Amino acid sequence: MHPAAQQILGHIRDSTSESERRVRAQSSSPERAAPCPDPTRIMRLTDLLSPERVGIKRESGEPFDKEKAIGLLATLIGERDGVSVAEIERALLEREQLQSTGIGEGVAIPHGALPQLSEQVAALLIVPDGVDFQAIDDATVRILFGVITPKRATGAPLKTLARVSRLLRNKDFRARLVASADEQAVFDLIKLEEGDSISTTPRELPAVAAAASSVRPDGTEKKGAT
């Protein structure tokens, strides 16, 4: 697994540890538990996205920074389950203050958790000219994959991060996303790439297979994974 992704995984684990303790304490109240997904089903990022939650921010001559990028991601995610866009933006910003979610190679994965949500939801923002995100490699970020998760769904953020990291490790694929003509084209590219990668799993590159095997079925990272 990419070293930067490993570091972000650690911070996600830290930020969800309190939620895990609360879930264990509330185990006698099954009605409050988040829906349990089918463990045999492979998660696709397009399950969390839609064409309407994809945006492209092109150069307009106006200042565009990290905070505005996160605000735009929150707007793309939109109000849901009684949670406002402002609350989503606040959750993303609060997590970002712990450490930048820029994992390198022009990719960032802003994320947060809110107790009111019933399921994960994501948005994707493409910034062809890049935005300074204080990324781990100091490179500007051009692909931002934002995720908001139910606070009690402790394993889901780790699985999502691993999936995003695997999908976006391909330099050519990242370039094609950034060069997409419109939002629908971005979504279609991801849908096609996920379909290809899932159907050709036995022939995956060793590095990709290793990244997948470094995460347990419950979403936690195995000790000693590289």
Side-chain angles (χ1 to χ4, degrees):
M1 181 174 286
H2 193 289
Q6 283 186 310
Q7 192 168 4
I8 302 298
L9 272 169
H11 281 272
I12 293 178
R13 193 178 301 113
D14 292 342
S15 65
T16 57
S17 59
E18 179 61 28
S19 294
E20 291 175 346
R21 287 192 289 270
R22 289 175 181 173
V23 169
R24 287 193 292 269
Q26 296 168 354
S27 59
S28 61
S29 302
E31 68 277 6
R32 297 189 64 181
C36 182
D38 180 356
T40 66
R41 186 178 183 278
I42 299 176
M43 186 196 78
R44 296 175 186 250
L45 296 182
T46 46
D47 293 338
L48 309 180
L49 282 173
S50 71
E52 295 74 26
R53 292 199 296 276
V54 176
I56 300 177
K57 174 60 179 176
R58 303 192 188 278
E59 176 61 46
S60 64
E62 298 179 359
F64 188 70
D65 57 16
K66 182 179 186 175
E67 287 70 26
K68 289 185 178 180
I70 288 177
L72 186 49
L73 273 176
T75 299
L76 287 169
I77 291 173
E79 184 176 338
R80 57 193 58 252
D81 292 337
V83 178
S84 69
V85 170
E87 289 174 293
I88 292 171
E89 181 178 0
R90 189 180 309 116
L92 294 175
L93 287 171
E94 286 177 354
R95 169 58 187 83
E96 201 66 32
Q97 289 173 358
L98 300 178
Q99 183 193 24
S100 173
T101 55
I103 64 171
E105 299 180 329
V107 177
I109 315 176
H111 56 273
L114 290 168
Q116 305 98 312
L117 294 181
S118 60
E119 60 182 0
Q120 277 196 111
V121 63
L124 177 62
L125 178 63
I126 304 295
V127 186
D129 294 294
V131 58
D132 182 9
F133 223 76
Q134 294 85 51
I136 200 165
D137 61 355
D138 293 324
T140 58
V141 164
R142 301 197 293 169
I143 301 172
L144 296 90
F145 195 99
V147 185
I148 287 289
T149 306
K151 209 157 193 174
R152 57 196 180 277
T154 56
L158 295 171
K159 289 184 178 181
T160 301
L161 174 61
R163 187 70 181 157
V164 174
S165 179
R166 288 179 60 195
L167 185 69
L168 297 179
R169 69 174 57 229
N170 184 301
K171 183 177 180 180
D172 177 66
F173 178 63
R174 295 197 305 269
R176 284 185 286 137
L177 281 178
V178 172
S180 296
D182 54 37
E183 291 81 359
Q184 183 66 55
V186 171
F187 183 83
D188 290 344
L189 265 177
I190 293 176
K191 190 172 183 178
L192 178 62
E193 188 75 7
E194 285 199 300
D196 289 343
S197 65
I198 291 171
S199 64
T200 59
T201 296
R203 292 177 286 156
E204 285 181 316
L205 293 174
V208 176
S213 64
S214 67
V215 179
R216 296 190 183 97
D218 64 358
T220 60
E221 187 181 11
K222 297 178 182 176
K223 290 184 178 180
T226 58

